Amino acid sequence: MAAIHNLRRRIKSVRNTRQITRAMKLVAAAKMKRAQERVFHARPYANKLQDVIRSVVNRQEIGGQPLLRTGPEKKIRLVIVSADRGLCGSFNAMVFRRVFELLEKWRDKEIVVDFIGRKGFEHFQNKVQNIGRNYKDVFRKFDPTAGAKIAEDLMESFISKECDAVYVVYNEFKSVLQQNLIVERLLPLVEEDFSGKEALIPHLFEPSAEEVLQDLLPRYVETQIFRVLIESNAAEFAARMTAMEAATKNATEMIDKLTLQMNKIRQAAITTEIIEVVSGGQISN
Amino acid sequence: MSDTIAFALVSPDRSLFDEKVKEVTIPAENGEMQALLQHTPTIAKLGVGELSCTLTSGTRKRVVVTGGFVEVLPERVTVLVRTAELPEEIDTKRAEDALKRAEQMLLHPDEHTDIQRARMAFARASARLKAARHL
């Protein structure tokens, strides 16, 4: 009887867990929907801006813009975008694994690591030597200025030659079922080699090249950071939703298994009892 | 060679236009400019004002923009704005109030008045009203 009692208790506890994972899945799904819309709305702007920048650097030689400075990458700033919370499958683990690979690859370089998202910081705080900034609560409230502060810090670090390049590691929202891990170079802004310039007519700048670029380039960095944040955010909810759905399914399977086991034991107990009664009756006869 | 311009207007949170047009009139920072087919490649900062375009059907569309950039190419115009409003989204009453406020500030400035800001507000409000009246 003790066995049945224990099983019953376990079934109850698994059922409770399933209720929690199911609720978490629903919450993640609702939040993902919002985040996904944000991603889809922001993409055209980011893409068009990128087209314009590309067209600018393709049509003329641009000098004197600190954000376009290129050279050997000796000092690298690595921005790790992870989630603030766990329970989202391999979302964070994928980022961590990739970061380790990168750190290994860049062994001979000076690396400073910035963190966006609590999980990344917790994971790496004792594992990397140079910790830069740790941005907290970025994902809690979202507005277009969310990326501005981060972009400003990164640009300042790059312009003051504190670093030669800025890379960012994040999850891109591919679809509900798929996240792509991306390593992207944020700064310097363009490829080192534009010798393959097409014979295109250079732009006229209004009011002046200087003034336009001074506005356009930082704007681009800001937009890129913002895009990275919302992509990662949407990907996180998608990963959590998938993970929680799997957990709910596993809980259901477990309940079935335990119920079957419990029924078997109960049936065995009943059979034993009947045999006892029958054999007892036979003896008294 | 196509005889229309591919026109796209996007703001950070949405895409407002992505279609073929005959002409675009752009409120650049230094004054209005018009982009027709085969315009020389230009990049300009946008000011505050009404941007309008003529669709291939001949219909004129308007939108109020504040700040951003435009890239004009011979067969393409890309506008990246900070904010954009379609005429039907404009609250005329609010724009009128804002216009009056800005007017007062410019006519009777005291030492707290930020002239630059008041001018911007004035330009924004009058652009809104102008666009809304065309509805």
Side-chain angles (χ1 to χ4, degrees), chain A residues 41-45 48-49 51-52 55-56 59 144 201-207 211-213 215-217 219 226, chain B residues 8 10-15 18 28-30 33 40-45 69 71-74 78 80-82:
Chain A
H41 285 157
R43 266 183 193 164
Y45 186 84
K48 292 283 183 220
L49 189 52
D51 288 349
V52 170
S55 156
V56 168
R59 278 173 188 268
I201 310 162
H203 281 116
L204 289 177
F205 287 94
E206 280 285 333
E211 262 182 80
V212 170
L213 292 172
D215 255 24
L216 189 62
L217 300 179
R219 184 88 204 134
F226 182 63
Chain B
V10 289
S11 72
D13 53 357
R14 60 180 170 162
S15 166
D18 196 355
E29 205 180 52
N30 289 353
M33 62 188 248
T40 188
T42 304
I43 293 202
K45 274 169 90 168
F69 303 94
E71 186 193 27
V72 182
L73 294 176
T78 308
L80 302 153
V81 295
R82 206 172 306 135

Side-chain angles (χ1 to χ4, degrees), chain A residues 215-269:
Chain A
D215 255 24
L216 189 62
L217 300 179
R219 184 88 204 134
Y220 179 65
V221 178
E222 242 170 65
T223 311
Q224 287 301 316
I225 289 277
F226 182 63
R227 191 184 54 88
V228 164
L229 292 180
I230 56 179
E231 291 270 1
S232 176
N233 196 236
E236 179 193 333
F237 288 127
R240 178 164 299 124
M241 195 183 94
T242 321
M244 288 303 111
E245 191 172 316
T248 310
K249 209 176 122 225
N250 283 344
T252 308
E253 265 168 35
M254 200 163 186
I255 291 170
D256 286 350
K257 222 172 71 195
L258 289 174
T259 314
L260 186 68
Q261 210 178 337
M262 189 187 75
N263 285 346
K264 263 188 194 157
I265 293 178
R266 198 184 55 195
Q267 199 55 54

